[in-house]
């Protein structure tokens, strides 16, 4: 008998699909048996309406092994050239501290966490984000800063609308300094046009003394490098009730008087050069800081200090009543996913260097720039005369092209200002050797290069003396304690240990798709060929990136059934905004610019109405019926009523209720009949990939969340990528696609480019069949949980066959009525079992929405089911009177070690039940570092910076 096993069979053992999908074949059979369904395909037939099911598989190649995918990524990397880019314009070389790279950016304890909505299991990242806020507020000289914005350009656009809300001026004009970063001006222009804001762009010293405007945006230092004194024009704008926004460079603010000290109302910018690689444009943390007076109208996430149930200080997200999930179209912004991980990295860069270290870095950058300019003058070039920090403008007349070429040969990219001028921005990575090489590129043949030490001995700094910073910053001990690597490593470990991320337990957040972020998918993002590229390098230096981007766009077209994709938006919310602008542009192109009504079902995610508002559309709410489906009668009536002005409908599919609505094609048809376009929110693509495609069943536009379905980690609240995908008739309107395109919606052409390899790698590893299997497995897992828990908690919505899609809503309202136990109590009690709560009260108040994803093993699903059943038994205890209605383990959850171990224990339930409600917890337990956090107290006593140093005395 032959011992031979064919190669093809042996090769399957390298198959990534079984690494990505938690349950193996035997487990899936067990799960199907619980459902009484014979195969995965049979389940899919029960769940996905036949009318919308794909007839053809996605045209994607078969999946490859992890080794093969890494080899292909190396191939892309080899086609990117890593040069030193001194282009500036908001992107600078920086050294990521190795201790931060290894322990944060490459550590799943940090990058797989979710947005810190559940503060008790998020104290570590909340502390790091609070450090970010403190750092930004102090460097900018403002009272309060958020954590964080998507990039500098969108932060400036958000600041413009903040001015609209906060200013008492009646003007509709917003003034923009012509020396702002060009991409900032472009993004602000897009936003202003959608909102009917009139922009005036020019020289602030010429316009501002007399111009009526509700706000103004200044750049400090300017894009040209000039450091100008804006105090007089600031006072002039404010005298006429306008507000002043300043886009400022954080490193420069270590040396320059911060805008807060000369009167600015809002300061925005990017924290990129604080240790976050350029990454061909992103992701980086944008920031926004303002005065206390404007805190309730500021956009973005804000971390505050509150107290927990034991009276101890605890962090939480503050003032959420400003945000889209509560205020919807009246929200201060549509931001949901922000840039948490990058903000954390930037804050740690500040902790690592401390105020003294930052000042030294800034001073060295300035000194090198001053020497560089003096050397260029010695070589006969005219350098612009204004004071500068790190950026100079050189008159290169007829030699411009030759200098660019020489510089490139030596490995440098310079800024091409125009045919006669070159710009240079220096950064902390620039060395003496670089200066010599740069001078070499400028020097006429045979010229003697300047002597660095001689120049250093003879020239002065060129910062304007009147604008030198005298105030101290980062005085809090957190910025001085962790300067040794041992201390920093342990600080990072301590913070990470406080948090619950995917490296410890399933995070069953409905709508958020917390699935595996595989190590191989993450590998390439820190390779220099992806991490070190400036977004504005010549195209030939980024051909690896372009090939990967083209490939990913094509993959996403296959997954969605659309014709074209733009990867520019930095988050789902930005994809929505871009998609709606595309729809508006389409109507305008047909002479139907009047169409400005957007229908949105009542169950929609908060970003939908908030984005519609930002895109200049009026929101009309469509009702849902008792099954949670769009009420067709109401839709018909509203579509007809608004037919003249109907721009679009925004629906989510499968619905936010976790159901494949049977009538989705009819919904699309009704809107199309009345001249509207159909926007399908693709946040739930994890239920669709390979089974059904929005572009095939009626959608015109969708955004995807690559940080949900396509494996980019959530990073504790960002980064994200929210590509916008469109049907063929809309392709020409996508950002960057030609003369009829909408304006840019992000600072960089490809948004958060450096994390795109993650999604590319996922799709490449899975292949068409693997992706389809993942989707079916996600549906299986949700139905398994629904079936196991149905006897304990009613499942709120199901399709015609009694099935859910990839998530299920557990209705806790009857239990609340009977026992007073709320969703909050259940969510907090889950922490004692070592779980992150499911999504709370979205889309239905008083419910929990569970999305297990395909990546969780059957063992983990069962652990969750066991916890939920044990909690149900505790609620039954309250029902029967076995547990006290107030003094029970649910109301007092989560239990900290300090509470359980205290000498006093005077609760009416045993300590053991508090800490070890199921036996397995004795082997391994997550202890919440704080008790339940008081939300009301936190907003009443708003504290959004590190506790003052005096409290440490
Ligand atoms: C997550 C989500 C969004 C918003 O995406 P962000 O990337 O957080 O901006 C929009 N719609 C739905 C249904 C979502 O679940």
């Amino acid at each position: 008998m032959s011992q031979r096993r064919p190669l093809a069979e042996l090769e399957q053992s390298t198959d990534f699909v079984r690494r990505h999908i938690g349950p193996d074949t035997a487990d899936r059979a067990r799960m199907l048996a619980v459902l009484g369904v014979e195969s995965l395909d049979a389940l899919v037939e029960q769940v996905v309406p036949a009318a919308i099911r794909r007839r053809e598989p996605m045209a994607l190649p078969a999946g490859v092994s992890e080794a093969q995918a890494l080899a292909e990524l190396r191939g892309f990397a080899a086609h990117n050239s890593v040069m030193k880019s001194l282009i500036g314009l908001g992107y600078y070389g920086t050294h990521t501290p190795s201790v931060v790279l290894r322990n944060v950016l490459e550590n799943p304890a940090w990058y797989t966490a979710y947005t810190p909505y559940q503060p008790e299991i998020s104290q570590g990242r909340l502390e790091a984000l609070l450090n970010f806020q403190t750092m930004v507020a102090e460097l900018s000289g403002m009272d309060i800063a958020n954590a964080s914005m998507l990039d500098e350009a969108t932060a400036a656009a958000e600041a413009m609308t903040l001015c609209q809300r906060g200013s008492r001026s009646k003007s509709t004009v917003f003034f923009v300094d012509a020396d702002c970063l060009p991409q900032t001006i472009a993004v602000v222009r897009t936003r202003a046009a959608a909102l009917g804001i009139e922009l005036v762009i020019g020289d602030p010293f010429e316009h501002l003394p007399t111009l009526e405007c509700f706000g103004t945006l200044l750049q400090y230092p300017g894009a040209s490098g000039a450091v100008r004194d804006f105090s007089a024009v600031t006072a002039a704008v404010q005298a006429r009730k306008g507000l002043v926004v300043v886009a400022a460079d954080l490193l420069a603010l270590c040396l320059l008087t911060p805008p807060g000290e000369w009167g600015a109302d809002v300061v925005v910018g990017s924290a990129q050069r604080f240790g976050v690689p350029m990454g061909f444009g992103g992701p980086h943390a944008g920031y926004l800081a303002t005065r206390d007076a404007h805190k309730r109208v500021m956009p973005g996430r804000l971390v505050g200090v509150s107290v927990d149930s034991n009276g101890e200080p605890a962090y939480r997200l503050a003032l959420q009543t400003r945000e889209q999930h509560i205020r919807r179209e009246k929200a201060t912004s549509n931001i949901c996913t922000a840039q948490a991980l990058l903000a954390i990295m930037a804050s740690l860069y500040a902790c690592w260097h401390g105020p003294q270290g930052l000042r030294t870095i800034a001073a060295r950058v300035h000194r090198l720039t001053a020497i560089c300019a003096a050397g260029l003058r010695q070589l006969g070039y005219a350098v612009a005369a204004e004071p500068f920090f790190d950026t100079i403008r050189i008159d290169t007349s007829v030699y411009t092209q030759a200098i660019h070429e020489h510089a490139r040969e030596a490995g440098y990219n310079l800024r091409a200002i125009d045919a006669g001028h070159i710009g240079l921005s220096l950064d902390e990575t620039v060395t003496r050797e670089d200066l010599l090489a740069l001078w070499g590129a400028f020097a006429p043949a045979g010229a003697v290069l300047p002597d660095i030490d001689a120049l250093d001995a003879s020239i002065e700094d060129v910062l304007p003396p009147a604008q030198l910073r005298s105030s101290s910053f980062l005085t809090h001990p957190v910025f001085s304690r962790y300067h040794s690597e041992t201390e920093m490593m342990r600080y990072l470990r301590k913070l990470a240990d406080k948090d619950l991320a995917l490296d410890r337990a399933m995070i069953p957040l409905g709508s958020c798709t917390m699935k595996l972020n595989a190590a191989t998918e993450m590998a390439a993002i820190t390779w220099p060929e992806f991490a070190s590229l400036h977004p504005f390098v010549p195209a030939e230096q980024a051909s690896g990136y372009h090939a990967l981007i083209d490939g990913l766009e094509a993959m996403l077209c296959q997954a969605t059934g659309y014709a074209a994709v733009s990867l520019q938006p930095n988050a789902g919310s930005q994809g929505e905004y871009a998609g709606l602008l595309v729809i508006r542009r389409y109507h305008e192109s047909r002479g139907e610019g009047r169409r400005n009504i957007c229908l949105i079902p009542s169950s929609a995610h908060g970003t939908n109405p908030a984005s519609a508002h930002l895109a200049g559309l009026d929101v009309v709410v469509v009702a849902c019926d008792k099954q949670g489906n769009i009420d067709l009668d109401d839709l018909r009536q509203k579509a007809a009523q608004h037919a003249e002005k109907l721009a679009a409908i925004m629906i989510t599919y499968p619905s936010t209720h976790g159901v494949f609505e049977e009538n989705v094609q009819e919904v699309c048809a009704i809107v199309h009949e009345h001249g509207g376009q159909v926007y399908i929110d693709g946040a739930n693509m994890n239920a669709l990939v390979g089974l059904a495609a929005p572009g095939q069943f009626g959608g015109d536009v969708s955004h995807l969340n690559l940080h949900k379905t396509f494996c980019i980690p959530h990073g504790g609240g960002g980064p994200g990528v929210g590509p916008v995908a469109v049907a063929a008739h809309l392709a020409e309107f996508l950002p960057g696609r030609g003369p009829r395109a909408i304006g840019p919606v992000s600072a960089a052409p490809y948004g958060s480019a450096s994390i795109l390899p993650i999604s590319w790698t996922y799709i490449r590893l899975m292949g068409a069949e693997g992706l389809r299997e993942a989707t079916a497995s996600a549906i299986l897992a949700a139905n398994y949980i629904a079936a196991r828990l149905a006897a304990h908690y009613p499942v709120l919505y199901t399709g015609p066959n009694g099935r859910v899609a990839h998530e299920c809503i557990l209705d806790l309202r009857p239990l609340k009525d009977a026992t007073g136990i709320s969703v909050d109590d259940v969510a907090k009690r889950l922490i004692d079992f070592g779980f992150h709560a499911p999504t709370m009260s979205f889309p239905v108040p008083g419910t929990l929405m569970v999305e297990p994803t395909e990546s969780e093993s059957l063992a983990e699903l069962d652990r969750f089911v066991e916890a939920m059943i044990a909690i149900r038994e505790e609620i039954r205890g309250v029902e029967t009177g076995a547990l006290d209605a107030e003094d029970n383990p649910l109301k007092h959850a989560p239990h900290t070690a300090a509470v359980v171990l205290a000498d006093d224990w005077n609760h009416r339930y045993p300590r053991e039940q508090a800490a070890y409600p199921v036996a397995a917890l004795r082997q391994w337990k997550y202890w919440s570092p704080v008790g339940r956090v008081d939300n009301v107290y936190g907003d009443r006593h708003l504290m959004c910076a590190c506790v003052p140093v005096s409290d440490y005395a």
Side-chain angles (χ1 to χ4, degrees), residues 114-115 117 150 301 324 334-338 509-513 570-576 603-608 611 650-656 679 681-684 703-708 714 717 719-722 807 842 849 851:
Y114 184 64
T115 306
Y117 278 132
L150 292 163
R301 295 263 148 82
Q324 39 75 26
N334 64 341
I335 290 191
C336 180
T337 290
L509 281 164
S511 213
C512 302
T513 313
N570 284 321
S573 61
Q574 307 304 296
E576 294 172 15
S603 62
H605 192 267
T607 52
N608 290 187
S611 299
M650 276 185 108
I651 58 173
T652 303
Y653 201 79
S655 72
T656 54
Y679 187 107
D681 181 324
N684 288 345
H703 78 268
L704 306 174
N705 299 63
L706 298 191
H707 46 301
K708 294 177 181 173
H714 281 250
V721 177
E807 57 195 7
F842 171 77
M849 182 155 65
E851 180 182 355

Side-chain angles (χ1 to χ4, degrees), residues 699-750:
D700 301 295
V701 189
S702 292
H703 78 268
L704 306 174
N705 299 63
L706 298 191
H707 46 301
K708 294 177 181 173
T709 315
F710 295 96
C711 297
I712 290 177
H714 281 250
V721 177
V724 54
V726 299
H729 65 287
L730 299 176
E732 62 175 318
F733 305 113
L734 286 178
R737 300 292 159 99
R740 308 231 286 178
I742 63 166
V745 297
S746 302
Y750 301 100

Side-chain angles (χ1 to χ4, degrees), residues 351-619:
C351 291
W352 180 236
H353 291 295
Q356 212 42 57
L358 291 179
R359 225 180 265 118
T360 304
I361 292 170
R364 180 173 161 275
V365 166
H366 176 68
R367 193 75 200 142
L368 280 172
T369 315
I371 293 171
C372 181
L376 289 168
R377 287 199 181 100
Q378 223 171 65
L379 289 171
Y381 290 93
V383 178
E386 301 96 345
F388 55 78
F389 165 60
D390 66 353
T391 296
I392 49 177
R393 181 187 152 93
I394 306 130
D395 187 342
T396 43
S397 74
V398 296
Y399 307 111
T400 309
Q401 212 37 52
I403 294 170
H404 278 301
E405 275 159 31
H406 291 154
R408 229 167 271 154
E409 278 158 26
Y412 299 88
N413 290 311
L414 315 180
R415 181 176 170 208
I417 296 177
D418 57 33
H421 295 89
I422 286 178
L424 270 181
S425 292
L426 272 47
D427 59 56
E428 67 161 322
T429 69
V430 174
T431 61
R432 286 165 172 256
E433 291 69 37
D434 291 324
L435 275 200
L436 292 174
L438 285 168
W439 285 333
F442 280 82
V448 179
L449 293 188
D451 178 322
I452 293 179
D453 289 315
L455 285 175
D456 191 25
S458 65
I459 62 154
E460 291 299 311
D461 281 355
V462 280
L463 292 166
Q467 275 164 272
L468 289 182
R469 178 168 194 142
S470 57
S471 54
S472 57
F473 54 90
L474 307 188
T475 52
H476 190 276
V478 80
F479 297 105
S480 316
R481 267 186 201 153
Y482 309 113
H483 295 172
S484 86
E485 181 159 334
T486 302
E487 283 297 317
M488 178 55 101
M489 173 178 71
R490 289 181 189 151
Y491 180 52
L492 296 176
R493 176 65 191 255
K494 186 179 96 181
L495 294 181
D497 275 358
K498 291 184 179 191
D499 288 10
L500 201 74
L502 277 176
D503 64 329
R504 289 187 203 253
M506 160 175 167
I507 302 185
L509 281 164
S511 213
C512 302
T513 313
M514 300 295 291
K515 69 203 287 187
L516 171 72
N517 317 116
T520 291
E521 291 155 9
M522 295 293 292
I525 63 166
T526 50
W527 297 352
E529 296 89 343
F530 289 112
S532 301
L533 262 59
H534 190 288
F536 306 145
V537 296
E540 67 273 13
Q541 290 178 28
S543 47
Y545 252 123
H546 287 290
L548 182 136
I549 286 167
D550 290 348
L552 181 57
E553 286 178 2
M555 288 165 164
L556 297 176
C557 285
Q558 282 301 318
T560 55
Y562 287 112
V565 169
S566 166
L567 293 164
Q568 191 179 93
N570 284 321
S573 61
Q574 307 304 296
E576 294 172 15
Y577 165 67
L580 292 169
L581 289 182
V582 163
I583 290 175
R584 280 196 64 180
R585 186 56 63 92
Y586 166 74
H587 289 310
E588 283 162 16
S589 76
R590 294 156 46 94
E592 298 190 350
R594 66 177 185 279
R595 294 187 175 272
N596 71 339
I597 300 276
C598 187
L599 302 176
I600 299 186
S602 54
S603 62
H605 192 267
T607 52
N608 290 187
S611 299
H613 173 73
L614 282 185
L617 297 169
D618 289 340
V619 175

